[in-house]
Amino acid sequence: MQMIEPNNIPYPFTLLDTLNEGICMFDRQGRCLYVNCKGMEIVGKARDELLGKNMGGPFPERLGTRFYVEAQRAIEENHPIGIEIYDSLTKRWLALRYYPSSEGLSILILDITERKEFEQRKDDFINMASHELKTPVTALKGLTQVLIEQLTQAAMTEAISLLTMIDAQIDRLTKLVDDLLNVSKIQAGHLAYDRSPVDVDALVRETTALLQTSTPTHTLNVSGATQTVIIGDKDRLRQVIINLITNAIKYSPQANCIDILLSSTAESIHIAVRDYGIGIPKTAQQHIFDRFYRVDNKTIPGLGMGLYIAHEIVQYHGGKLTVESEEGKGSTFVISLPIS
Ligand code: ADP
């Protein structure tokens, strides 16, 4: 393509000047061929400072090396890439979309500051609300336990049975508040981890046995062994196993068993949780570990936090959480952890 003169923008490029999104186009050598008005505004430079110049020169360093690294990656992989970066000078959040082609690269720049601010307010609210909820819920749990003890001594069976139901609802509430708190901590990078030896087989068998006591609908079958002790956070890993098994139960209402398979290789251990339930559509599988993501399902309630937290915990341990699933047939979630 011929270079566009800064003072002589041809039609139909002139139309792009009315857009509220920035557009920059580069040739295969990385020279800027075109930039629209919004693009100039975002970059903070005039057209004659940009056109014909190399991407590395006129584009401000404050956008960070990621700006160039991702451009290079998009060209090499010949695949569109989207990133979000913070412009520290203008204090704006920008979404960059790189579209490579055989003739060069187009970059679409969107100002997403408002969306980011809204997300931040939402995160702040979740953080504050979960902290505020934690105290009364903990108090309620304690008081219920005391009452159950007193009523047991007074042999008031009917009241005990009602209170036990209240206690179970408080446990549900506690789990929700804890999940909200964990999500907030992950977002803020503050989720604390312990490090101690963890006997994987014992942890899985204990956790499964405990869950079985409150699961009348499904038989939880554990088979295999890893015969491995890893270094990690036992409580957090237990949280991951509980989440996968309770999901397996929840999303297989028509089935009556869950299989939990332990295995290992020279480098890693694997804990597979298989259910024979509703399964997950292919298109949803790539989002399943995103925060607050739920497959469109009106009948089974949930908030889409468990798998996000589980994924984060497994990643912290240097491992991977993966899923294989077929709609209508069931799902297998696999925790793979490196042997420390
Ligand atoms: P929640 O179950 O509270 O919605 P999760 O983060 O645990 O949140 O799960 C996210 C979504 O993944 C669920 O809403 C559900 O659509 C899907 N999902 C999770 N586990 C399974 C499973 N074993 N079978 C089918 N779908 C599942």
Side-chain angles (χ1 to χ4, degrees):
M1 183 182 145
Q2 237 181 334
M3 278 296 164
I4 293 176
E5 292 295 323
N7 299 320
N8 188 20
I9 304 296
Y11 177 82
F13 285 96
T14 43
L15 295 178
L16 298 175
D17 276 339
T18 59
L19 297 190
N20 205 22
E21 289 83 23
I23 293 179
C24 303
M25 294 173 185
F26 300 90
D27 65 13
R28 292 292 291 180
Q29 284 72 47
R31 281 176 310 169
C32 183
L33 298 172
Y34 172 76
V35 55
N36 72 347
C37 276
K38 188 68 183 182
M40 289 188 279
E41 188 192 314
I42 290 172
V43 170
K45 300 223 171 177
R47 230 172 221 142
D48 57 2
E49 294 175 273
L50 297 170
L51 293 191
K53 308 282 167 35
N54 199 280
M55 192 191 283
F59 282 84
E61 223 166 72
R62 65 176 196 273
L63 293 183
T65 46
R66 227 178 130 208
F67 181 84
Y68 311 108
V69 172
E70 297 297 338
Q72 200 55 40
R73 191 160 72 90
I75 293 168
E76 275 164 19
E77 292 177 8
N78 195 21
H79 198 274
I81 288 180
I83 61 164
E84 292 178 356
I85 53 177
Y86 184 65
D87 182 345
S88 52
L89 185 74
T90 56
K91 301 199 171 14
R92 314 284 306 165
W93 274 97
L94 304 173
L96 305 180
R97 309 244 163 91
Y98 298 88
Y99 295 99
S101 80
S102 56
E103 291 166 81
L105 177 75
S106 302
I107 306 179
L108 185 69
I109 310 175
L110 300 129
D111 187 328
I112 51 163
T113 312
E114 269 178 37
R115 197 195 83 203
K116 281 286 189 185
E117 284 172 354
F118 174 75
E119 281 174 6
Q120 188 58 48
R121 280 205 301 279
K122 189 186 69 185
D123 288 347
D124 290 348
F125 174 78
I126 292 174
N127 186 23
M128 202 180 62
S130 47
H131 274 101
E132 288 297 316
L133 285 167
K134 183 75 187 163
T135 315
V137 168
T138 310
L140 275 176
K141 177 77 188 167
L143 292 170
T144 318
Q145 293 298 320
V146 174
L147 258 182
I148 289 179
E149 264 173 43
Q150 291 184 354
L151 294 176
T152 308
Q153 277 164 19
M156 296 176 70
T157 28
E158 210 171 307
I160 292 171
S161 130
L162 285 174
L163 209 55
T164 308
M165 285 189 230
I166 295 178
D167 193 46
Q169 294 303 321
I170 294 174
D171 284 346
R172 279 187 65 188
L173 208 54
T174 307
K175 160 94 174 60
L176 281 177
V177 173
D178 284 346
D179 276 358
L180 276 172
L181 270 173
N182 284 330
V183 168
S184 286
K185 284 182 188 163
I186 290 170
Q187 284 299 108
H190 292 154
L191 194 64
Y193 290 92
D194 194 27
R195 275 177 74 76
S196 60
V198 182
D199 179 334
V200 176
D201 298 348
L203 178 67
V204 172
R205 287 183 183 275
E206 277 162 27
T207 310
T208 309
L210 189 73
L211 286 172
Q212 185 69 82
T213 60
S214 57
T215 309
T217 49
H218 294 67
T219 305
L220 310 178
N221 304 311
V222 184
S223 59
T226 65
Q227 291 177 326
T228 306
V229 173
I230 59 166
I231 302 296
D233 188 321
K234 190 173 174 184
D235 288 335
R236 296 257 177 242
L237 290 172
R238 182 186 292 114
Q239 194 180 346
V240 176
I241 298 163
I242 290 177
N243 179 264
L244 296 187
I245 298 179
T246 47
N247 270 355
I249 297 167
K250 184 162 107 175
Y251 294 102
S252 67
Q254 313 294 343
N256 58 14
C257 75
I258 308 291
D259 292 325
I260 298 129
L261 182 70
L262 295 162
S263 62
S264 63
T265 62
E267 298 88 35
S268 52
I269 61 107
H270 307 279
I271 307 164
V273 178
R274 161 173 288 182
D275 67 62
Y276 304 91
I278 62 173
I280 304 164
K282 277 270 168 296
T283 47
Q285 287 176 24
Q286 55 183 317
H287 303 293
I288 208 84
F289 302 111
D290 293 352
R291 191 169 56 131
F292 304 133
Y293 181 83
R294 303 205 71 229
V295 178
D296 195 13
N297 184 325
K298 303 271 181 290
T299 49
I300 305 178
L303 290 176
M305 293 188 285
L307 283 182
Y308 169 72
I309 298 169
H311 188 252
E312 191 67 29
I313 294 173
V314 173
Q315 266 197 336
Y316 173 84
H317 285 84
K320 279 190 183 148
L321 179 59
T322 52
V323 63
E324 271 180 30
S325 183
E326 202 177 326
E327 253 187 299
K329 294 217 166 139
S331 311
T332 304
F333 283 84
V334 182
I335 306 167
S336 303
L337 295 170
I339 294 174
S340 5

